[in-house]
Amino acid sequence: MARGQRKTLDEKIAAKQELIDALMTRVQSEKRELEELVQEKKMKELEAVSDLIADTGLQPEEVAEALQEYMKTRTAAAS
């Protein structure tokens, strides 16, 4: 019973290389999409912090100073 023409080793290699190339393209595309989502998340977080700063009426420098002081206190308490 005939099974049809078998692929040569070179054809199998070429097919696998095409598959790998397609998968690599997909991975790159997914990485780009992931990076865009991460950047979008960062922007939303920064907007939330900015809104909070605006609501308090403090200047960004004052907020940075308060956070630095908090971190010093927290680090000292952890030691």
Side-chain angles (χ1 to χ4, degrees):
M1 184 178 216
R3 293 185 357 170
Q5 191 172 10
R6 297 186 76 177
K7 288 185 178 180
T8 67
L9 195 51
D10 285 338
E11 290 171 329
K12 288 179 183 179
I13 290 171
K16 285 296 178 189
Q17 188 61 53
E18 281 182 37
L19 177 61
I20 290 169
D21 291 345
L23 290 171
M24 293 301 289
T25 299
R26 169 98 190 266
V27 167
Q28 290 171 348
S29 174
E30 295 295 333
K31 282 183 177 181
R32 278 192 300 273
E33 188 176 333
L34 174 61
E35 184 59 31
E36 289 171 6
L37 290 170
V38 168
Q39 289 302 320
E40 183 179 340
K41 180 182 177 193
K42 272 187 185 178
M43 288 305 296
K44 286 186 181 211
E45 290 171 346
L46 287 173
E47 287 174 8
V49 170
S50 179
D51 290 345
L52 182 62
I53 291 171
D55 290 346
T56 64
L58 296 172
Q59 295 298 314
E61 297 81 18
E62 295 172 300
V63 174
E65 186 178 317
L67 285 172
Q68 288 173 347
E69 191 61 38
Y70 170 77
M71 290 306 296
K72 285 179 190 175
T73 305
R74 185 174 172 186
T75 303
S79 296

